Amino acid sequence: QVQLVESGGGLVQPGGSLRLSCAASGRTFSSYAMGWFRQAPGKEREFVAVINWSGGSTQYADSVKGRFTISRDNAKNTVYLRMNSLKPEDTAVYYCAAKPWLPTTRSSDYNYWGQGTQVTVSS
């Protein structure tokens, strides 16, 4: 069992930056692939970024590539999402998710989810 708690969301102006954190419980965190997904009002949940167990492999949605960076610290049981050059279209609830073994971009593959943290990009 893995429990996930996100933090770091908030209101930011266009062009600004935020860093989201996702703290995981459990001693097997390092064996899980981790992902960030987001859901805007009236839209389906969408893939943002994923990272493998070691942090050596990452994948990003085209819409965030070059602006967002996913990373993890297995000693702290935490995964991060650094978001730069934020745009109004990045406004959404951001969710952290975990699954055993290899990362995928399909939200339905993930077994564990956090409660989400709101990110609002507006002037």
Side-chain angles (χ1 to χ4, degrees), residues 61-74:
D62 288 343
S63 60
V64 307
K65 202 172 294 183
R67 299 188 298 123
F68 290 11
T69 302
I70 188 171
S71 61
R72 66 190 295 162
D73 185 338
N74 287 341

Side-chain angles (χ1 to χ4, degrees), residues 10-18 38 40 43 46 61-68 82-94 118-123:
L11 173 64
V12 62
Q13 291 186 342
S17 298
L18 282 175
R38 66 187 182 186
K43 295 187 176 181
E46 66 174 2
D62 288 343
S63 60
V64 307
K65 202 172 294 183
R67 299 188 298 123
F68 290 11
R82 177 68 180 181
M83 305 185 294
N84 295 328
S85 303
L86 282 161
K87 305 175 181 180
E89 52 263 43
D90 294 318
T91 296
V93 177
Y94 283 71
Q118 176 71 47
V119 172
T120 302
V121 185
S122 175
S123 55

Side-chain angles (χ1 to χ4, degrees), residues 29-64:
F29 173 75
S30 61
S31 68
Y32 283 83
M34 301 296 296
W36 286 98
F37 295 81
R38 66 187 182 186
Q39 188 166 18
K43 295 187 176 181
E44 293 188 353
R45 191 170 297 187
E46 66 174 2
F47 156 70
V48 176
V50 293
I51 190 167
N52 75 333
W53 69 274
S54 69
S57 176
T58 58
Q59 190 173 351
Y60 297 91
D62 288 343
S63 60
V64 307

Side-chain angles (χ1 to χ4, degrees), residues 2 4 24 28-37 49-53 72 79 96-113:
V2 177
L4 304 172
T28 59
F29 173 75
S30 61
S31 68
Y32 283 83
M34 301 296 296
W36 286 98
F37 295 81
V50 293
I51 190 167
N52 75 333
W53 69 274
R72 66 190 295 162
V79 63
C96 171
K99 67 178 294 294
W101 305 114
L102 298 176
T104 69
T105 63
R106 292 185 301 271
S107 60
S108 58
D109 291 342
Y110 286 75
N111 307 88
Y112 304 102
W113 290 85

Side-chain angles (χ1 to χ4, degrees), residues 3-27:
Q3 291 185 324
L4 304 172
V5 179
E6 302 98 333
S7 61
L11 173 64
V12 62
Q13 291 186 342
S17 298
L18 282 175
R19 189 181 78 160
L20 305 183
S21 298
C22 173
S25 65
R27 291 178 289 179

